[in-house]
Amino acid sequence: MGDGNNTSGRGIAANNTPSSNSEKPEWLQQYNLLGKIGEGTYGLVFLARIKSATNRGKCIAIKKFKQSKDGDGVSPTAIREIMLLREISHENVVKLVNVHINHADMSLYLAFDYAEYDLYEIIKHHRDKVNHAMNQYTVKSLLWQLLNGLNYLHSNWIIHRDLKPSNILVMGEGEEQGVVKIADFGLARIYQAPLKPLSENGVVVTIWYRAPELLLGAKHYTSAVDMWAVGCIFAELLTLKPLFQGAEAKSTPNPFQLDQLDKIFKILGHPTLEKWPTLASLPHWQSDVQHIQSHKYENAGLHSVVHLSPKSPAFDLLSRMLEYDPRKRITAAQALEHEYFRIEPLPGRNALVPSQPGEKIVNYPTRPVDQNTDFEGTTSIQQPPQPVSSGNVAGGMGAHVGRNGSVNRPMPPPSMQRMPQGIMAYNFPSQAGVGGGINPGGMPMQRNLAAQAHQQQQLRRKDPGMGMTGYPPQQKSRRM
Ligand SMILES: Nc1ncnc2c1ncn2[C@@H]1O[C@H](COP(=O)(O)OP(=O)(O)OP(=O)(O)O)[C@@H](O)[C@H]1O
């Protein structure tokens, strides 16, 4: 633990007193806080910029963790776990750059490298704005890098337990553009949340990516739970829709989710003891004979849902990830060796570049920044709900992070700001509303944008539409 002033490098900083010349605690003064970018089960996520000369202007994401209900702050076990997370270093895992503990209330702040995109938004953008599937190169590159990061975590005995598209980040412009970073790893162990069906603050924890052994009440689980989630994400990258979209049973504290199992069985068929011998020992298989055991499901055929030929390498890999028996499920290391990654198009480091010469680049929306929510998480927004448009429509998004330090309000056309010269963007933003004055709704633009950023972050959590080392194959490489 730090001494209260250790805010450099990767140390843990603890702080008891706010500094005398500001209400901000001392450790926070090394950052320019730009606004809230998200809200999850554990707390709020803020975007900040480093002030110090060494990394001046670099963006970071600060996760502020909520106090637990009994107000007991950060436990010694959690601190031990966090110390371990600081040692984790891999290109496809988001870097934990700093840890701060406010001793006054034992609240916890983790500072991570900032990533402009995540798979949730990328998939949503394709589904709602671009209106066509992702190119094969992008899907393969995203998947390969996800597996590469996961293989590293699993080799270090870290099981993620809550993999889902919003936890899979993709870097924006810069040297690491288009590189995948797994976020939120290890937090499950600290906060023990993924097995709870619903967090107590009303934020729904999605169960769409949860492995069947967890849904059936397994007490012990393995890294195979993450591979199931990767299978669900792979299918979603292909179809732009969540594969198993069960409705959450909210009131019960047990992990048994009948509707989610129902959705899985409808597509993959009923699990059998022959295929999954240890099934009989799972608590809910035993206890809910009526729903789980007696109902007979036809195998609807995964291939028809994901539109893949049953003989294709992509389908083979996907089915191995969605193997019912966790002991038979493919591992991350095995998946990286799969034939799918050895055939064209080969995966690459920048997943977001076009797959073929002449193909248009997709201009993904940058994260909206809500500047009206302060670091305590209180918001001063009192506006009625505004229609929120996602995508690159200036005036339809909140403030965005500019390259050069300040937050741009509204953002200059992303296509102009972000694209390499000479490459056309898919969606040129409308110029409506640019200029910051009063918009047709009569709301000052800056405030309106912030309100919309806040609302978009809220909507994102409820989105019914989601209705949803080496680089790859060492023998050949491209777009590295
Ligand atoms: N390092 C980061 N850089 C940029 N954005 C991030 C970073 N870490 C998290 N985010 C974004 O912040 C938002 C909230 O993240 P958080 O992990 O708290 O919640 P979540 O993943 O949406 O849900 P849950 O907490 O239930 O898993 C998400 O949009 C996520 O993509």
Side-chain angles (χ1 to χ4, degrees), residues 37-43 45 61 63 94 112-115 118 162 164 166-167 169 184 367 460-461:
I37 50 171
E39 183 168 356
T41 315
Y42 308 113
V45 185
K63 275 192 131 171
V94 73
F112 296 93
D113 275 348
Y114 176 76
D118 59 65
D162 194 22
K164 56 185 172 183
S166 66
N167 284 338
L169 311 180
D184 263 9
R367 286 181 195 280
R460 176 188 158 102
R461 298 210 54 84

Side-chain angles (χ1 to χ4, degrees), residues 8-11 31 50 58 60 95-99 111-113:
S8 64
R10 299 170 55 213
Y31 307 118
I50 297 175
K58 188 175 177 222
I60 54 157
K95 184 114 207 103
L96 176 59
V97 287
N98 224 325
V99 178
F112 296 93
D113 275 348

Side-chain angles (χ1 to χ4, degrees), residues 64-342:
K64 180 190 176 198
F65 287 81
K66 288 172 189 152
Q67 277 282 2
S68 67
K69 235 186 158 192
D70 38 15
D72 51 3
V74 195
S75 69
T77 320
I79 290 172
R80 272 196 299 276
E81 293 283 347
I82 292 161
M83 300 295 268
L84 290 176
L85 296 184
R86 288 168 55 230
E87 303 306 319
I88 291 298
S89 176
H90 186 272
E91 175 159 68
N92 299 122
V93 176
V94 73
K95 184 114 207 103
L96 176 59
V97 287
N98 224 325
V99 178
H100 303 282
I101 294 167
N102 257 355
H103 273 172
D105 60 355
M106 286 303 275
S107 57
L108 171 67
Y109 301 80
L110 301 183
F112 296 93
D113 275 348
Y114 176 76
E116 190 61 80
Y117 313 114
D118 59 65
L119 291 194
Y120 176 92
E121 291 295 345
I122 288 176
I123 293 169
K124 185 167 181 279
H125 186 68
H126 272 274
R127 197 187 57 232
D128 299 347
K129 299 279 165 191
V130 180
N131 287 323
H132 66 71
M134 275 184 214
N135 72 58
Q136 283 188 56
Y137 163 79
T138 296
V139 170
K140 202 180 274 190
S141 305
L142 293 170
L143 184 67
W144 194 93
Q145 295 185 44
L146 169 58
L147 288 165
N148 199 30
L150 204 55
N151 183 38
Y152 170 84
L153 291 175
H154 290 172
S155 314
N156 284 283
W157 305 102
I158 293 174
I159 303 174
H160 191 295
R161 300 207 311 198
D162 194 22
L163 271 181
K164 56 185 172 183
S166 66
N167 284 338
I168 300 159
L169 311 180
V170 183
M171 296 300 280
E173 64 189 14
E175 192 279 316
E176 288 196 295
Q177 185 168 30
V179 171
V180 170
K181 306 271 174 182
I182 299 174
D184 263 9
F185 58 93
L187 300 183
R189 275 256 288 275
I190 299 168
Y191 283 83
Q192 320 222 316
L195 298 182
K196 292 183 195 164
L198 185 78
S199 70
E200 279 137 10
N201 55 21
V203 174
V204 176
V205 181
T206 185
I207 53 167
W208 298 341
Y209 308 90
R210 197 170 291 175
E213 62 271 27
L214 292 177
L215 295 166
L216 286 166
K219 298 266 181 331
H220 305 286
Y221 53 85
T222 63
S223 54
V225 300
D226 289 341
M227 291 308 296
W228 179 273
V230 174
C232 298
I233 293 164
F234 183 16
E236 195 165 330
L237 289 170
L238 294 168
T239 65
L240 307 179
K241 276 198 281 192
L243 181 60
F244 307 124
Q245 209 178 331
E248 181 117 17
K250 293 178 179 160
S251 52
T252 157
N254 87 42
F256 180 43
Q257 297 285 349
L258 195 56
D259 193 57
Q260 183 64 26
L261 285 166
D262 184 63
K263 295 286 182 315
I264 296 171
F265 296 170
K266 273 184 179 146
I267 293 179
L268 298 183
H270 211 264
T272 59
L273 288 171
E274 195 191 347
K275 281 195 231 154
W276 186 1
T278 51
L279 183 58
S281 62
L282 292 174
H284 302 308
W285 182 261
Q286 298 286 1
S287 64
D288 203 320
V289 175
Q290 193 199 344
H291 289 110
I292 292 291
Q293 287 193 40
S294 59
H295 193 112
K296 290 287 167 254
Y297 293 85
E298 294 298 319
N299 186 341
L302 176 63
H303 62 277
S304 59
V305 177
V306 293
H307 312 298
L308 288 173
S309 152
K311 291 192 178 136
S312 63
F315 182 75
D316 185 76
L317 177 58
L318 178 63
S319 3
R320 287 172 196 267
M321 290 170 170
L322 297 176
E323 187 68 59
Y324 274 129
D325 187 339
R327 288 179 310 181
K328 296 183 190 156
R329 214 170 285 153
I330 196 168
T331 65
Q334 289 164 347
L336 288 167
E337 298 297 320
H338 194 274
E339 189 196 348
Y340 173 62
F341 295 115
R342 296 176 186 277

Side-chain angles (χ1 to χ4, degrees), residues 386-444:
Q386 302 287 315
V388 175
S389 53
S390 65
N392 301 323
V393 181
M397 301 280 290
H400 295 260
V401 193
R403 277 169 117 176
N404 52 0
S406 62
V407 177
N408 304 319
R409 286 169 274 136
M411 191 193 173
S415 48
M416 309 300 287
Q417 190 185 43
R418 309 171 63 79
M419 292 305 116
Q421 274 187 346
I423 300 179
M424 294 292 288
Y426 257 120
N427 298 315
F428 274 95
S430 145
Q431 294 298 305
V434 174
I438 303 289
N439 72 357
M443 193 176 181

